[in-house]
Amino acid sequence: MIERFVNAIKHIVNIDAPANKIALSSGLGMVIGFSPYLGFHTILATIFSVGLRLPIYPLMIGAHITNPITIPPIYAFLYKVGVVLTDSSKKDIKWDIHNFSELMVLAKSILWPLFVGCHLFGLLTGLVTYFVVKYLLIKYRGY
């Protein structure tokens, strides 16, 4: 596992692109990875890579930070972040569903905090990733 991580870092460092582009690609990948659009992370990363002419590898690494193993703890945490930020309350959730409209009320009470938590946390980690990767690339490459 550590060997795979080291190989990924070596691959990112050796990408023939300016540090800004690699850092932007890494940060944007993290934003995509923490987004609530499950099933579309790869598509979004590809679209941004082609549209902004960014290296695809750092985008894909960030976009796949959430995977079947990490999804439950990450989205549970992001939901809790969203509950705090939106001042939602878990006691408002009614789990006794009898019709479609009650299901929609339940979905709204869960999805809005998740949406807010995912996007704000994604933006924060994307910014941090951008600056850390840029700093490390400049330091490693010596320019």
Side-chain angles (χ1 to χ4, degrees), residues 19-73:
N20 275 345
K21 280 199 166 203
I22 297 171
L24 180 60
S25 181
S26 299
L28 190 54
M30 293 299 283
V31 172
I32 292 168
F34 285 111
S35 73
Y37 312 115
L38 289 175
F40 295 101
H41 291 169
T42 301
I43 295 167
L44 288 170
T46 304
I47 290 170
F48 280 110
S49 176
V50 172
L52 299 176
R53 297 182 183 202
L54 297 173
I56 189 102
Y57 190 71
L59 258 163
M60 287 296 178
I61 288 176
H64 291 100
I65 193 85
T66 50
N67 57 56
I69 296 170
T70 62
I71 284 173

Side-chain angles (χ1 to χ4, degrees), residues 6 37 45 54 60 69 87 91-92 103 105 128 140:
V6 170
Y37 312 115
L54 297 173
M60 287 296 178
I69 296 170
D87 200 29
K91 65 184 176 187
D92 293 337
L103 177 63
V105 170
V128 170
Y140 178 79

Side-chain angles (χ1 to χ4, degrees), residues 90-97 102-103 105-106 109:
K90 291 181 184 178
K91 65 184 176 187
D92 293 337
I93 297 176
K94 295 168 69 177
W95 293 99
D96 190 22
I97 301 168
E102 290 176 358
L103 177 63
V105 170
L106 175 64
S109 65

